[in-house]
């Protein structure tokens, strides 16, 4: 699947954009713990190249991103695109689909039953934003070092990298109870390598509420409309 991912990136001009993004990182004087790349993908085109990878992207996007992560790491090392990069864990890939299949199972609707949305895959959702919070910062990636000076992971290496994953809380990326896998000493964040991003919280309500506002009761004596929270990162 890594070979198919590379072929798709080459054919879709995604590889050219990736090289340009790498150049920006390489020319920057800032130190990064994590290098973040957004890759636009067309699920239909990928499915034509390889049905297995196309299905993987649609239903297991986090695992599919790891395939692209591996491909991008090999490309960076082979072409010497980012001199500062040391490990594959420093690469964060965000897959951005151009569209999803026009099928009911890919539509997230909180007004329909059953609520079988336990899988971490892509969904389309239509709603009305009724409230928006201010834009704040969150940690996209961080580097940790062992606090034991005699430990080989106490300096110099990018052994412990924490990268924010979709659906995870902030504490999954940064907190003070991580320990070294080698000596079990506490880990401490190296603040100069923290990578920040913008986030915004939006309160939404299902688009079906418009029917209620139009006076369509659908023969129901009463109903409620539950809002849901969306995190924009």
């Amino acid at each position: 699947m890594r070979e198919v991912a590379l072929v798709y990136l080459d054919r879709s001009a995604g590889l050219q954009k990736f090289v340009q993004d790498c150049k920006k990182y390489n020319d920057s004087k800032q130190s990064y713990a994590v290098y973040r790349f957004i890759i636009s993908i067309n699920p239909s085109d990928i499915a034509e190249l390889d049905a297995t990878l196309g299905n993987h992207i649609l239903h297991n996007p986090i695992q599919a991103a790891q395939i692209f992560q591996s491909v991008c790491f090999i490309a960076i090392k082979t072409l010497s695109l980012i001199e500062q990069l040391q490990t594959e864990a420093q690469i964060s890939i965000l897959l951005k689909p151009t569209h999803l299949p026009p099928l009911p199972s890919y539509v997230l609707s909180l007004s329909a039953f059953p609520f079988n949305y336990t899988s971490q895959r892509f969904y389309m959702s239509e709603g009305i934003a009724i409230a928006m919070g201010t834009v704040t910062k969150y940690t996209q990636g961080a580097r940790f070092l062992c606090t034991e000076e005699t430990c080989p992971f106490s300096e110099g290496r990018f052994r412990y990298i924490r990268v924010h994953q979709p659906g995870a809380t902030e504490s999954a990326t940064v907190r003070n109870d991580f320990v070294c896998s080698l000596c079990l000493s506490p880990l401490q964040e190296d603040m100069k390598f923290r990578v920040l991003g913008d986030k915004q919280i939006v309160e939404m309500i299902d688009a079906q509420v418009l029917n209620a506002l139009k006076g369509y009761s659908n023969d129901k004596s009463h109903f409620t409309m539950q809002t849901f929270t969306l995190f924009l990162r």
Side-chain angles (χ1 to χ4, degrees), residues 1-15 18 39-41 45-47 49-50 52-54 56-57 63-72 75 93 95:
M1 287 192 287
R2 287 186 296 182
E3 182 179 352
V4 176
L6 180 59
V7 170
Y8 173 77
L9 288 176
D10 186 34
R11 293 184 181 180
S12 64
L15 190 59
F18 173 73
I39 298 179
S40 295
I41 54 174
D45 290 346
I46 294 181
L49 285 175
D50 186 88
T52 301
L53 180 59
H56 210 52
I57 289 173
Q63 288 76 14
Q66 295 175 355
I67 297 174
F68 283 86
Q69 178 189 30
S70 179
V71 171
C72 292
I93 299 296
L95 298 180

Side-chain angles (χ1 to χ4, degrees), residues 38-198:
I38 299 177
I39 298 179
S40 295
I41 54 174
N42 186 320
S44 299
D45 290 346
I46 294 181
E48 290 182 2
L49 285 175
D50 186 88
T52 301
L53 180 59
N55 185 70
H56 210 52
I57 289 173
L58 289 174
H59 299 96
N60 300 286
I62 296 179
Q63 288 76 14
Q66 295 175 355
I67 297 174
F68 283 86
Q69 178 189 30
S70 179
V71 171
C72 292
F73 177 73
I74 295 173
I76 290 174
K77 284 301 184 181
T78 303
L79 303 176
S80 301
L81 298 176
I82 302 178
E83 297 179 359
Q84 306 94 324
L85 181 70
Q86 294 185 18
T87 66
E88 184 176 319
Q90 290 180 259
I91 299 177
S92 175
I93 299 296
L94 177 63
L95 298 180
K96 185 178 181 182
T98 57
H99 67 280
L100 292 178
L103 300 172
S105 60
Y106 291 96
V107 177
L108 177 73
S109 176
L110 298 185
S111 65
F113 287 92
F115 297 146
N116 186 24
Y117 302 123
T118 57
S119 62
Q120 293 183 329
R121 66 176 177 88
F122 292 117
Y123 290 99
M124 294 180 291
S125 180
E126 182 180 13
I128 304 169
I130 61 174
M132 300 178 67
T134 58
V135 177
T136 59
K137 295 293 183 181
Y138 79 102
T139 302
Q140 289 182 349
R143 174 199 188 190
F144 289 82
L145 296 173
C146 182
T147 54
E148 174 55 53
E149 296 181 357
T150 59
C151 180
F153 299 144
S154 63
E155 60 182 6
R157 301 186 182 183
F158 286 84
R159 168 70 179 183
Y160 299 111
I161 301 294
R162 305 293 300 183
V163 181
H164 176 82
Q165 292 290 336
T169 60
E170 304 292 329
S171 61
T173 308
V174 178
R175 60 175 188 260
N176 57 11
D177 60 347
F178 296 128
V179 296
C180 178
S181 61
L182 184 63
C183 66
L184 299 181
S185 298
L187 297 179
Q188 185 176 15
E189 183 185 357
D190 189 353
M191 293 299 297
K192 66 178 179 290
F193 284 96
R194 177 179 285 196
V195 180
L196 298 177
D198 293 333

